[in-house]
């Protein structure tokens, strides 16, 4: 299979002809233009090690939205070339590969979890990468999505009167995702779920924590009323 013209441009950029060229100046995704499909290089011995061909193959998969295959190629790039100037970019793209596979909130959260892990790794392993800021933004979005997912599951169990299971999900949100917008929802429902379980002490603790963390919460009136009732 022949390479199309953009491959030559990609090789020029990746080869680092200018030693002063920074990672952020290499906008790889824009090099593919508006091609509906991008050809993927055939396997070769050279491809197994050459950073240019490895990245070209990974980017081709990514642009074609073959995200699982792209992720594996980015991982191979990092494994073989961990100190390359585009290793941080490759790690960021791994996160984006999982991020682009995220589905509705009620579906399997595995892509969200893997995306979050990849973005955290991009930030910790490549702190000077120009993609670090966007990785942080995407990581925060993943955290918010996970909190939403566990709240959705908690509410599902609550409506089904499976109160111990609901408590587990609400506690998880309050503990692991305290900075998300679903934290106050989780604390309120944790309180009312404990009431359903006739555990007044735990209910008071959850509702008091709610008012302490969020003094202007939308649940303020109900929380105070319940605290007064279950003193």
């Amino acid at each position: 299979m022949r390479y199309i013209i953009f491959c030559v441009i990609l090789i020029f950029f990746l080869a680092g002809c200018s030693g002063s060229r920074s990672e952020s100046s290499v906008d790889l995704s824009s090099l593919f233009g508006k091609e509906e499909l991008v050809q993927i290089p055939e396997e070769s011995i050279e491809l197994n090690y050459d950073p240019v061909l490895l990245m070209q193959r990974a980017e081709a998969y990514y642009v074609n939205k073959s995200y699982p295959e792209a992720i594996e190629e980015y991982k191979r790039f990092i494994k073989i070339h961990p100190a390359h100037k585009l290793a941080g970019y490759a790690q960021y793209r791994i996160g984006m590969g999982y991020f682009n596979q995220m589905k509705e909130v009620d579906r399997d959260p595995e892509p969200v979890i893997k995306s979050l892990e990849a973005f955290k790794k991009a930030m910790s392993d490549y702190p000077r990468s120009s993609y670090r800021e966007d990785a942080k933004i995407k990581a925060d979005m993943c955290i918010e999505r996970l909190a939403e997912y566990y709240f959705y599951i908690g509410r599902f169990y609550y409506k089904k009167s499976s109160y111990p299971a609901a408590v587990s999900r609400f506690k998880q949100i309050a503990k692991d995702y305290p900075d998300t917008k679903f934290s106050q929802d989780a604390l309120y429902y944790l309180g009312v779920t404990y009431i359903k379980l006739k555990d007044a002490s735990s209910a008071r603790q959850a509702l008091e924590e709610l008012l302490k963390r969020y003094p202007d919460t939308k649940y303020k009136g109900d929380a105070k009323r319940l605290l007064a009732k279950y003193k």
Side-chain angles (χ1 to χ4, degrees), residues 105 112 116 120 136-152 169-188 209-210 213-214 217-219:
V105 68
V112 190
L116 177 59
K120 284 183 175 180
K136 175 64 168 61
I137 293 172
K138 294 298 194 302
D140 289 343
M141 292 172 67
C142 290
I143 290 171
E144 197 71 41
R145 175 61 75 88
L146 285 174
E148 182 181 10
Y149 170 77
Y150 290 122
F151 183 69
Y152 174 87
R169 298 311 187 280
F170 296 141
K171 286 178 69 175
Q172 182 178 7
I173 297 168
K175 177 178 178 293
D176 296 338
Y177 310 104
D179 298 323
T180 66
K181 66 182 181 181
F182 293 96
S183 179
Q184 62 177 299
D185 299 290
L187 283 169
Y188 173 75
E209 182 66 20
L210 169 66
R213 286 196 202 178
Y214 309 98
T217 177
K218 60 186 177 182
Y219 300 110

Side-chain angles (χ1 to χ4, degrees), residues 79 84-85 111 120 135-137 157 160 177 186 189-190 199-201 207:
K79 182 178 180 179
H84 194 280
K85 67 180 182 179
K120 284 183 175 180
K136 175 64 168 61
I137 293 172
Y157 283 128
K160 294 290 184 180
Y177 310 104
Y189 275 95
L190 181 60
D199 185 346
S201 176
L207 294 171

